[in-house]
Amino acid sequence: GDLEKQFKTTMEEFGDLAEKSGRLDGTVSVVMEEVPMMMAHLGGVSAEIEKISYLNKSLDDLHVKYKELQAYKDDQEARLSGEVEKASNLQQSLDDLHTKCNELQAAKDALKKDAELERHSIELNFKESFEQMKSDFHKLVLQITEVTLSGIDQRIAPLEVALSQFST
């Protein structure tokens, strides 16, 4: 009895175990069918991870390029700012030169006016001096003529006296 009972129990347990083993085999079989899909999915995930890694590197490269372009832009802005300042200084210099030209033109015009006034004054003085010299010359000519005529009169007077005595 006991051995039979034990054998029967062992056989039942063995049957349960075989049944469980069959179910386990079925589960393993189902899982094994899913392994290629999981491997394919894992390959896809791996490819996605590679894409993300590539995108991260590209993003890093773009960030470096952005910083380079930003530095270039800053340099260009500084250079242009310098050029604008140079242009502004040049314009100021041109404005200063224009002002100086206007000042010189005004000074030239004033000098020209002064020269005209001086020339006019010299002409007037010359005319006055010339008129004075003419007047002085006429007076001198008159005086010389008077002296000469007086001398002639003095020489003629005795002759006239002698003539008048001779005629009477």
Side-chain angles (χ1 to χ4, degrees), residues 35-70:
V35 164
M37 284 190 333
M38 288 180 165
M39 290 300 284
H41 182 66
L42 190 59
V45 168
S46 181
E48 290 297 316
I49 288 172
E50 279 186 42
K51 283 182 189 174
I52 289 170
S53 175
Y54 174 76
L55 289 174
N56 278 338
K57 183 178 177 346
S58 295
L59 187 60
D60 290 344
D61 292 347
L62 284 174
H63 189 66
V64 167
K65 191 69 174 170
Y66 170 78
K67 285 190 177 216
E68 289 172 358
L69 287 173
Q70 185 67 38

Side-chain angles (χ1 to χ4, degrees), residues 19-165:
E19 188 182 312
K20 286 180 183 175
S21 175
R23 280 187 292 188
L24 186 60
D25 280 346
T27 303
V28 166
S29 184
V30 168
V31 167
M32 287 308 281
E33 287 174 9
E34 291 182 9
V35 164
M37 284 190 333
M38 288 180 165
M39 290 300 284
H41 182 66
L42 190 59
V45 168
S46 181
E48 290 297 316
I49 288 172
E50 279 186 42
K51 283 182 189 174
I52 289 170
S53 175
Y54 174 76
L55 289 174
N56 278 338
K57 183 178 177 346
S58 295
L59 187 60
D60 290 344
D61 292 347
L62 284 174
H63 189 66
V64 167
K65 191 69 174 170
Y66 170 78
K67 285 190 177 216
E68 289 172 358
L69 287 173
Q70 185 67 38
Y72 177 75
K73 181 187 115 298
D74 292 345
D75 287 345
Q76 292 301 312
E77 283 177 351
R79 186 183 65 76
L80 286 175
S81 174
E83 293 299 320
V84 166
E85 188 175 328
K86 284 180 190 174
S88 175
N89 290 343
L90 184 60
Q91 184 60 49
Q92 184 60 48
S93 295
L94 287 172
D95 291 346
D96 292 347
L97 277 174
H98 188 260
T99 299
K100 194 62 155 175
C101 283
N102 288 341
E103 290 171 0
L104 288 172
Q105 182 66 39
K108 182 194 102 177
D109 292 346
L111 285 173
K112 185 177 177 184
K113 185 176 179 184
D114 288 350
E116 278 294 314
L117 289 172
E118 184 68 22
R119 185 186 62 77
H120 186 67
S121 174
I122 289 171
E123 283 177 359
L124 283 175
N125 286 339
F126 177 78
K127 282 181 182 175
E128 287 174 5
S129 295
F130 184 73
E131 290 299 321
Q132 186 63 46
M133 283 187 345
K134 242 171 60 174
S135 172
D136 291 348
F137 181 71
H138 283 155
K139 284 181 188 171
L140 188 61
V141 167
L142 284 175
Q143 285 175 354
I144 290 172
T145 304
E146 263 182 45
V147 167
T148 303
L149 288 177
S150 170
I152 291 174
D153 273 352
Q154 285 176 2
R155 281 193 216 146
I156 291 179
L159 289 174
E160 280 183 340
V161 169
L163 257 169
S164 71
Q165 287 177 356

